[in-house]
Amino acid sequence: MQLTQTKDTLANQQKADNKKNIAGALALATCALLGTDVNATEQDWQFDSAFLFYGEIERVMAAEAMVNAKKEFADEQVLNVRLTLDTLTGASANGAVAQPYVQTFTRPSGKGQYQINANDTPLDNTFHDTRVQLNAQWTQPLAPNYTASAGVHLSKEYDYLSLGINGNLAIDFNQKNTTLSLGLSHFQDTFTPEGGLPKPYAAMLIGDSESPTWDQSFANTRIGDSETKTTTDFLIGLTQVINRRMLMQLNYSHSVVDGYLTDPFKVLSLVDEQGLSQAQLYENRPDQRTKQSVYWQSKYHFDNSIMDLSYRYMWDDWNIKSHTVDTRYRFLFSDNSYLEPHVRYYQQSAAEFYQPFLNQNQALPEFASADYRIGEMNAYTLGLKYGLRLSDGNDFALRVEYYSQNPTDAGFSAPGALANQDLYPSIDALILQFSYSF
């Protein structure tokens, strides 16, 4: 199962390239943030490592380990290889609404059932996965003021395989104070969930999973064993050196996703006029999504501090719109250490087919999902990071953050018993990250 919000917190870091152009200016700003010497000419392998823990209260927990290796060759050729291993465990909301009585659900595999106490949000506590991801990127100049890079991506989970390629071109002009960046990537993903893919709006089977007819009855709610999707991303960006202290960047991205976009683990509660659940129906989403976004970032280096401020606006044809404001302010100390507060705010509107539940007396819509991740919400992150350049020249950093996600009511009327239930529970999480560069 993919958890977008969870994985968005698993941030990887790497050192900037040492180039005498706009990339050099970018490196100056980034390396100042990382406490790295931009003038280093060492050609040996350089390594960045990090371990991250993400834990939601009574829900999902994630642990990630990452190692990035970089090698600089002649003529400014650079090879980056990154290996990531993460595990996800815990309980994940299945999309059903809380009820004033005990509810029984069948596990996604069809083997076994679990019960949810009265007035509790239904969570499937069998959620677990391990992911291994490998990325490799080669960068080299093509001609004066032209730099190209190409990369490959491989990610494997228990029930998910992702393969991807990407290419980027950077063009320097305006006396190397401006860089135009063009990027294109393509991913091919295959999803093979345990228990197969449910039929849209099929009712979850509840009963004796040991009965002789169970397997056939469960199979009748499935449409197959696997599905695929493709994602194609295009990005165009402009980076400008404003002066010796300030750097600014503006990007536009366009993404097209085609294929199986439904979450086979999510259901919707079908309720009567009293708000009581009559069945759990598997969700159904469109098989195409187009996303666009604009991103602005500015970095300013004061005498003893660095400010990093960014804003991102995203919109798609599911009618989701989001705003993200992210700011970091790094205080530099004389002992080669720094302290960096971090504040991030995120606000999102709901997809046009988002519904927290379905009404029994209304016709089924073409598409519907009760997944809170595509519902209306706001979220914020508050964090603090401490970094230190060690006596041997290596870098150490520790980051601690608090994350709060708050789904909100997008204007749905809750009938009967649902009026007394928390249909939009908040999620709080703790993030800890340790990183070491050598």
Side-chain angles (χ1 to χ4, degrees):
M1 181 185 300
Q2 294 180 300
L3 296 182
T4 304
Q5 283 78 13
T6 301
K7 290 185 178 178
D8 283 346
T9 68
L10 306 181
N12 298 321
Q13 300 183 32
Q14 66 182 49
K15 296 180 181 178
D17 295 335
N18 176 25
K19 297 181 180 180
K20 298 178 180 178
N21 48 23
I22 182 65
L26 281 167
L28 178 61
T30 305
C31 291
L33 288 172
L34 296 175
T36 305
D37 183 5
V38 71
N39 295 315
T41 57
E42 177 65 48
Q43 296 298 307
D44 293 337
W45 283 97
Q46 300 174 18
F47 296 93
D48 296 319
S49 62
F51 176 79
L52 182 144
F53 169 80
Y54 172 91
E56 298 174 357
I57 298 177
E58 298 181 347
R59 290 202 181 191
V60 174
M61 291 193 301
E64 178 186 270
M66 183 277 294
V67 176
N68 185 87
K70 184 178 78 171
K71 175 69 173 179
E72 295 185 15
F73 298 91
D75 300 324
E76 296 184 322
Q77 297 173 335
V78 179
L79 173 64
N80 269 288
V81 180
R82 185 172 72 248
L83 176 65
T84 305
L85 173 66
D86 58 46
T87 60
L88 298 166
T89 59
S92 176
N94 66 10
V97 294
Q99 292 282 272
Y101 52 81
V102 175
Q103 297 188 81
T104 300
F105 298 90
T106 298
R107 302 196 184 280
S109 65
K111 305 298 182 183
Q113 298 177 343
Y114 60 98
Q115 291 187 327
I116 301 299
N117 293 331
N119 305 313
D120 284 354
T121 299
L123 303 175
D124 181 0
N125 61 7
T126 62
F127 171 56
H128 61 86
D129 211 340
T130 299
R131 177 178 66 121
V132 178
Q133 179 176 302
L134 180 65
N135 293 278
Q137 195 82 16
W138 176 262
T139 303
Q140 71 171 53
L142 295 180
N145 300 325
Y146 288 81
T147 302
S149 69
V152 294
H153 163 89
L154 168 64
S155 179
K156 182 67 176 75
E157 303 173 30
Y158 173 71
D159 58 3
Y160 204 86
L161 173 65
S162 178
L163 302 173
I165 57 174
N166 69 79
N168 300 275
L169 177 64
I171 306 171
D172 296 329
F173 55 96
N174 186 27
Q175 297 180 334
K176 300 185 182 297
N177 287 315
T178 307
T179 293
L180 175 67
S181 300
L182 303 172
L184 184 66
S185 64
H186 182 78
F187 295 87
Q188 176 81 37
D189 301 341
T190 303
F191 198 17
T192 55
E194 186 177 8
L197 304 165
K199 292 180 181 178
Y201 296 135
M204 176 183 285
L205 195 62
I206 304 294
D208 182 8
S209 60
E210 301 299 326
S211 69
T213 60
W214 175 269
D215 287 346
Q216 183 56 52
S217 298
F218 183 78
N220 291 337
T221 68
R222 309 288 108 173
I223 59 173
D225 296 325
S226 66
E227 272 289 359
T228 63
K229 73 173 182 179
T230 61
T231 304
T232 301
D233 296 318
F234 169 75
L235 181 142
I236 180 170
L238 193 66
T239 305
Q240 177 66 47
V241 175
I242 306 300
N243 53 45
R244 67 185 185 89
R245 290 181 179 268
M246 187 174 183
L247 187 70
M248 193 172 293
Q249 184 177 25
L250 182 65
N251 293 340
Y252 166 79
S253 65
H254 189 278
S255 177
V256 177
V257 188
D258 283 295
Y260 187 77
L261 305 183
T262 296
D263 190 326
F265 303 116
K266 301 299 183 185
V267 297
L268 298 103
S269 295
L270 183 67
V271 302
D272 61 16
E273 294 179 352
Q274 286 73 46
L276 301 179
S277 179
Q278 304 301 301
Q280 308 298 337
L281 307 185
Y282 293 104
E283 71 162 40
N284 185 33
R285 305 189 194 190
D287 59 5
Q288 196 273 340
R289 184 182 184 186
T290 299
K291 298 187 293 183
Q292 301 179 75
S293 69
V294 289
Y295 174 82
W296 168 86
Q297 182 184 31
S298 180
K299 295 183 179 183
Y300 192 91
H301 197 314
F302 297 93
D303 290 339
N304 297 303
S305 61
I306 300 172
M307 182 184 69
D308 186 342
L309 177 65
S310 66
Y311 168 76
R312 180 177 183 265
Y313 174 65
M314 189 282 297
W315 69 100
D316 66 12
D317 57 358
W318 287 6
N319 205 34
I320 296 177
K321 298 177 178 65
S322 69
H323 304 267
T324 307
V325 178
D326 197 307
T327 181
R328 292 173 169 84
Y329 198 97
R330 178 165 296 188
F331 298 93
L332 305 172
F333 304 120
S334 58
D335 61 351
N336 289 325
S337 65
Y338 63 84
L339 195 64
E340 181 182 88
H342 174 215
V343 178
R344 179 182 183 271
Y345 178 77
Y346 177 81
Q347 187 273 329
Q348 171 184 294
S349 64
E352 59 187 1
F353 56 87
Y354 169 79
Q355 294 186 224
F357 53 86
L358 296 172
N359 290 294
Q360 187 181 41
N361 58 357
Q362 295 179 357
L364 292 175
E366 181 180 9
F367 304 110
S369 172
D371 188 347
Y372 68 90
R373 296 172 297 177
I374 60 170
E376 184 176 286
M377 72 167 73
N378 60 73
Y380 64 88
T381 303
L382 300 175
L384 192 64
K385 181 179 180 180
Y386 173 77
L388 175 66
R389 167 65 64 86
L390 304 176
S391 58
D392 57 6
N394 297 334
D395 298 312
F396 157 85
L398 179 65
R399 177 167 65 102
V400 180
E401 293 189 334
Y402 169 75
Y403 173 73
S404 180
Q405 184 181 100
N406 305 287
T408 56
D409 184 356
F412 295 94
S413 177
L418 292 186
N420 299 318
Q421 302 297 332
D422 185 3
L423 301 181
Y424 311 98
S426 297
I427 299 174
D428 298 314
L430 176 67
I431 303 168
L432 298 173
Q433 183 185 45
F434 167 83
S435 57
Y436 184 69
S437 300
F438 56 97

